[in-house]
Amino acid sequence: MPAENTNTRAWQIYGRRQLARAYTPPIPERLGWTPWEGIGPGAEVLGDVTGRRVLDIGSGAGHHAVHLARAHGARVTGIELSPTQHERAVSAHADVDGVEFVQADVTEYLDGAEPFDAAYAIGTLAFIDPHRSLPALRSGLRPGAPLILSLLHTDLHGNGPSTEVTPREQMILLRDDPPLPTQMWVLTPQLWEDLLTECGFRVEAVDLLPHPDESATVIQQLIRARCLPDQPARVC
């Protein structure tokens, strides 16, 4: 099964399980880029998003989008491929001002959308082939717009990032249910920077954010990039 099809199926099952539990994540008091509270920066890395159109890539249950709208005055579009994940967001937050939830493939959606002022992905972009996602984001963002990406760097098993643009198996863990296999592009910061540069972005910073428990091996990387005003010299 192709990697992205595997991921679509996994997130569909994940969303169905969470719907069955009637579980809705709380709206965070602070935007976080890792699963661990208080690690790393907050929404400030997006800049001033008051009144600006912001794209939440892989918005899931919608709690991050709601936080940005309520606490920072952003106009957020949460794009989510999984129908069950989209259902979770709409059922809990459909009436929130400044937020809309769209169920679609992000690359197809951006092809016809008005360019956004900023975009971010919290642990989600690595489930999409970067050769598909990054050109679409380059076209779907205004010149100078920030793109903030939280990505897996080292997993729970201590496996570090790949130096090749190929997906590998990872697992979505959910309490009391079997893990769900996925395919993720877990790449080195330099490889992500190369891909982003080829697609017309400038990488401004890369931070490695370790697990607060020093005995845990998992590390997230946070990439801060910006859409350049000129079209990329070559297709990435």
Side-chain angles (χ1 to χ4, degrees), residues 73-98:
R75 296 158 53 204
V76 187
T77 297
I79 186 82
E80 174 58 58
L81 179 60
S82 165
T84 54
Q85 288 284 78
H86 173 71
E87 183 180 346
R88 294 177 69 204
V90 170
S91 62
H93 307 301
D95 59 346
V96 175
D97 290 338

Side-chain angles (χ1 to χ4, degrees), residues 13-15 17-18 21 172-180:
I13 295 171
Y14 175 88
R17 290 175 178 176
Q18 297 291 49
R21 288 183 171 85
I172 301 173
L173 303 179
L174 187 59
R175 184 179 301 173
D176 300 327
D177 277 308
L180 295 169

Side-chain angles (χ1 to χ4, degrees), residues 14-85:
Y14 175 88
R16 187 182 305 127
R17 290 175 178 176
Q18 297 291 49
L19 283 169
R21 288 183 171 85
Y23 174 68
T24 300
I27 307 304
E29 295 182 0
R30 175 179 181 271
L31 193 65
W33 301 97
T34 75
W36 322 302
E37 187 174 351
I39 301 296
E44 68 272 9
V45 297
L46 286 165
D48 183 4
V49 293
T50 306
R52 296 185 178 273
R53 297 177 64 250
V54 179
L55 181 68
D56 181 339
I57 306 161
S59 50
H63 47 304
H64 298 120
V66 172
H67 167 81
L68 275 182
R70 287 180 174 171
H72 299 278
R75 296 158 53 204
V76 187
T77 297
I79 186 82
E80 174 58 58
L81 179 60
S82 165
T84 54
Q85 288 284 78

Side-chain angles (χ1 to χ4, degrees), residues 43-173:
E44 68 272 9
V45 297
L46 286 165
D48 183 4
V49 293
T50 306
R52 296 185 178 273
R53 297 177 64 250
V54 179
L55 181 68
D56 181 339
I57 306 161
S59 50
H63 47 304
H64 298 120
V66 172
H67 167 81
L68 275 182
R70 287 180 174 171
H72 299 278
R75 296 158 53 204
V76 187
T77 297
I79 186 82
E80 174 58 58
L81 179 60
S82 165
T84 54
Q85 288 284 78
H86 173 71
E87 183 180 346
R88 294 177 69 204
V90 170
S91 62
H93 307 301
D95 59 346
V96 175
D97 290 338
V99 179
E100 67 167 345
F101 295 107
V102 177
Q103 193 269 308
D105 176 272
V106 65
T107 63
E108 296 174 3
Y109 173 77
L110 287 173
D111 186 51
E114 178 185 349
F116 284 84
D117 300 309
Y120 69 96
I122 301 179
T124 56
L125 201 76
F127 293 102
I128 309 172
D129 185 342
H131 291 303
R132 254 190 2 108
S133 63
L134 297 183
L137 285 165
R138 173 61 180 79
S139 300
L141 289 171
R142 296 188 185 280
L147 173 64
I148 312 299
L149 305 175
S150 169
L151 300 154
L152 186 63
H153 180 273
T154 302
D155 65 22
L156 289 167
H157 305 292
N159 299 316
S162 173
T163 57
E164 298 180 355
V165 188
T166 55
R168 72 181 190 209
E169 186 172 88
Q170 299 289 156
M171 294 288 179
I172 301 173
L173 303 179

